[in-house]
């Protein structure tokens, strides 16, 4: 009697689980799948190359816009603070050409050229995007006028001789009598220090300031009175005392005097 089931021989003839049936061809990886994997491998590299090229183009375009493009080039040179000088004089001295890329403008060199104008006390040159160069300056303010060899020249408070005039001096500018006017001359410095220390009400009465030396400054007032100032020491105190003396003389509490000696401000002498 036969038993249902399979014999050992039968089981040995059965294909193993997962094995290909007898006579079946082994699976072969297709060419298309290999290409797909290759594409996936190359895709990140390709993206990196594209990004790098894009960044390089952006940088190149930005450099061109800044350094060579007319988009950010000088179209206007603006001048702020000019009074005695004309804008054209300042622009010419700055030497900034229209069409120059704004980033290439040497602002320090332009300021240095403007500073060589005698009338300029200080100057700053800045860029005003997208196409303007701004020249901001302060001019020297005249406080005195000197005459030498028939030429009349203006001086600022520091003693710098900066301009020549042929007509009347500007309002408030006082004639200065010194041997060698200039910022390095001690007599000039002492005389101008006395003049600029005075209150406006007193200064408006001064018709001349002279100094034979740094220790011998004299002021002449509109009514002919003379003020012996002396040296540059205690300038502010001398200005304060002189102002008080003139007020008292005007009010009649002090007798008039042709000479007011404030060289020693705590021991005033009236003559």
């Amino acid at each position: 009697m036969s038993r249902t089931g399979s014999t050992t021989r039968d089981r040995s003839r059965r294909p193993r689980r997962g094995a290909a049936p007898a006579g079946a061809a082994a699976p072969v990886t297709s060419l298309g799948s290999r290409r797909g994997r290759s594409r996936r491998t190359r895709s990140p590299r390709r993206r990196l190359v594209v990004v790098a090229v894009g960044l390089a183009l952006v940088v190149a375009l930005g450099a061109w816009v800044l350094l060579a493009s007319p988009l950010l080039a000088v179209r206007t040179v603006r001048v702020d603070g000019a009074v005695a000088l004309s804008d054209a004089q300042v622009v010419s001295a700055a030497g900034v050409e229209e069409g120059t890329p704004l980033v290439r403008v040497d602002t320090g060199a332009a300021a240095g050229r403007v500073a060589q104008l005698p009338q300029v006390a200080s100057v700053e040159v800045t860029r005003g995007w997208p196409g303007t160069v701004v020249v901001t300056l302060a001019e020297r303010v005249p406080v005195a006028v000197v005459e030498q060899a028939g030429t009349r020249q203006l001086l600022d408070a520091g003693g710098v001789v900066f301009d020549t005039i042929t007509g009347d001096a500007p309002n408030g500018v006082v004639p200065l009598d010194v041997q060698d006017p200039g910022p390095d001359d001690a007599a000039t410095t002492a005389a101008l220090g006395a003049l600029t220390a005075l209150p406006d009400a007193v200064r408006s009465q001064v018709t001349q300031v002279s100094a034979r030396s740094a220790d011998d400054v004299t002021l002449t007032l509109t009514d002919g009175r003379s003020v012996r100032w002396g040296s540059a020491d205690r300038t502010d105190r001398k200005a304060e005392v002189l102002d008080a003396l003139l007020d008292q003389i005007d009010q009649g509490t002090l007798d008039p005097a042709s000479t007011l000696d404030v060289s020693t401000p705590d021991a005033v002498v009236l003559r």
Side-chain angles (χ1 to χ4, degrees):
M1 179 175 177
S2 62
R3 288 177 299 178
T4 303
S6 58
T7 64
T8 303
R9 181 180 299 177
D10 293 334
R11 287 196 298 271
S12 65
R13 291 176 180 174
R14 291 178 185 175
R16 291 188 301 274
R17 183 176 300 176
V28 178
T29 303
S30 68
L31 179 61
S33 63
R34 287 201 301 270
R35 287 177 178 173
R37 287 198 298 271
S38 177
R39 289 195 197 99
R40 287 193 294 272
T41 302
R42 291 198 299 266
S43 292
R45 297 177 184 173
R46 190 171 297 171
R47 284 195 294 270
L48 287 175
V49 171
V50 171
V51 170
V53 171
L55 288 175
L57 290 174
V58 170
V59 171
L61 178 61
W64 177 79
V65 169
L66 284 174
L67 300 175
S69 165
L71 297 175
L72 298 177
V74 177
R75 293 188 290 274
T76 305
V77 179
R78 193 180 79 212
V79 178
D80 293 336
V83 179
L85 291 168
S86 68
D87 288 0
Q89 287 176 298
V90 177
V91 171
S92 176
V96 177
E97 296 184 4
E98 290 187 15
T100 303
L102 202 57
V103 73
R104 292 182 179 231
V105 174
D106 189 336
T107 56
R113 290 189 290 269
V114 174
Q116 292 178 9
L117 294 172
Q119 296 90 341
V120 174
S122 65
V123 60
E124 180 182 18
V125 177
T126 56
R127 299 179 183 88
W129 301 95
T132 304
V133 171
V134 182
V135 182
T136 305
L137 58 89
E139 293 184 358
R140 299 188 186 279
V141 178
V143 298
V145 57
V146 293
E147 183 172 347
Q148 289 185 311
T151 300
R152 302 172 70 226
Q153 296 176 302
L154 298 175
L155 291 83
D156 68 0
V160 176
V161 179
F162 66 90
D163 204 359
T164 300
I165 60 173
T166 55
D168 294 336
N171 290 335
V173 173
V174 176
L176 172 65
D177 181 14
V178 291
Q179 185 68 31
D180 187 21
D184 298 325
D185 177 55
T188 299
T189 302
L192 294 177
L195 184 63
T196 56
L198 296 174
D200 290 342
V202 178
R203 186 171 168 180
S204 63
Q205 300 181 50
V206 178
T207 59
Q208 180 174 301
V209 55
S210 61
R212 287 179 289 186
S213 71
D215 297 322
D216 189 13
V217 177
T218 301
L219 310 176
T220 303
L221 305 183
T222 51
D223 57 6
R225 286 181 293 185
S226 177
V227 178
R228 185 169 182 275
W229 190 270
S231 70
D233 295 337
R234 304 185 67 186
T235 294
D236 292 339
R237 176 58 178 162
K238 292 175 184 179
E240 181 183 356
V241 169
L242 178 60
D243 186 24
L245 286 175
L246 293 175
D247 279 345
Q248 293 177 47
I249 292 173
D250 290 342
Q251 294 171 9
T253 57
L254 279 178
D255 293 334
S258 59
T259 301
L260 292 76
D261 188 339
V262 295
S263 58
T264 305
D266 296 329
V268 175
V269 177
L270 304 180
R271 293 191 290 271

